[in-house]
């Protein structure tokens, strides 16, 4: 599309980088907010429930920005490099979430999801929630988050042990 508009290689590259900057500008702030919300959850709470509540809180902040989120997703569809960079940033989120979760989850065994699995599943639930909400805004984003986390939690929400809090 950009070539059809008469942009040369440098112009296309500059346009893509500008699109990335616009679309991904608040990722660091959103991660910080998510980690703060997760850190504030009670120590004895199930890790999956802590994730659900933290993502729900962030979704509550995002729910008034449907048009902006819709524009972002359209930009990602038009610029695969933006989508790729978004996924790269989300993989970093997974790492940071898993690191924070590691204090809440006992050593993983074959029957317990690891902090890495919980973090990856939580991000997948959030992505699905956003896509569903954009397709049908009749159910608000925080409710969509609850629904996706509940469905995924049926397989992940039980069976893992919490780390002893010493009480």
């Amino acid at each position: 599309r950009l070539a059809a508009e008469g942009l040369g290689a440098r112009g296309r590259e500059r346009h893509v980088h500008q699109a990335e900057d616009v679309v991904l500008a608040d990722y660091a702030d959103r991660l910080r907010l998510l980690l703060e919300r997760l850190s504030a959850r009670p120590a004895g709470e199930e890790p999956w429930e802590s994730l659900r509540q933290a993502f729900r809180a962030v979704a509550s902040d995002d729910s008034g920005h449907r048009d902006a989120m819709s524009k972002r997703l359209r930009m990602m569809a038009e610029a695969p490099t933006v989508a790729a960079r978004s996924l790269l940033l989300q993989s970093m989120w997974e790492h940071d979430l898993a690191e924070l979760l590691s204090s809440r989850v006992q050593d993983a065994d074959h029957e317990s999801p690891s902090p890495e699995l919980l973090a990856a599943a939580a991000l997948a639930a959030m992505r699905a929630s956003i896509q569903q909400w954009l397709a049908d805004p009749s159910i608000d984003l925080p409710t969509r988050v609850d629904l996706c986390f509940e469905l995924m939690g049926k397989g992940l929400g039980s069976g893992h042990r919490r780390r002893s809090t010493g009480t």
Side-chain angles (χ1 to χ4, degrees):
R1 184 186 67 119
L2 297 173
E5 293 175 5
L7 289 176
R10 288 181 194 241
R12 286 192 300 267
E13 185 176 325
R14 191 171 35 257
H15 176 80
V16 167
H17 288 298
Q18 288 172 346
E20 287 177 4
D21 291 342
V22 168
V23 173
L24 307 173
D26 70 342
Y27 264 44
D29 291 337
R30 291 172 47 126
L31 174 60
R32 181 192 44 76
L33 179 62
L34 180 61
L35 294 173
E36 286 174 2
R37 299 289 169 91
L38 184 57
S39 293
R41 300 302 308 163
E45 188 172 58
E46 291 287 338
W48 187 247
E49 180 62 15
S50 296
L51 284 165
R52 183 180 74 81
Q53 293 295 338
F55 273 89
R56 188 183 202 294
V58 172
S60 294
D61 292 343
D62 289 342
S63 63
H65 307 289
R66 184 175 182 278
D67 291 340
M69 290 178 90
S70 181
K71 287 178 185 176
R72 286 180 181 188
L73 291 177
R74 278 197 305 274
M75 288 176 108
M76 284 185 203
E78 292 176 6
T81 60
V82 178
R85 185 162 169 221
S86 173
L87 289 173
L88 176 65
L89 291 172
Q90 288 179 38
S91 74
M92 291 179 202
W93 283 33
E94 282 181 28
H95 172 78
D96 291 348
L97 284 170
E99 189 173 290
L100 186 56
L101 285 170
S102 66
S103 65
R104 294 176 173 260
V105 178
Q106 281 190 346
D107 295 331
D109 58 30
H110 296 294
E111 296 179 19
S112 301
S114 67
E116 295 81 9
L117 176 59
L118 290 167
L123 282 163
M126 188 66 195
R127 281 191 302 271
S129 300
I130 290 170
Q131 290 169 350
Q132 291 171 2
W133 173 62
L134 289 171
D136 177 11
S138 67
I139 298 176
D140 68 16
L141 182 56
T143 302
R144 292 275 184 196
V145 169
D146 279 338
L147 293 170
C148 285
F149 270 78
E150 181 181 340
L151 288 171
M152 290 183 77
K154 289 178 181 178
L156 295 175
S158 60
H160 59 274
R161 299 180 310 263
R162 287 180 297 229
R163 187 178 297 268
S164 173
T165 59
T167 58

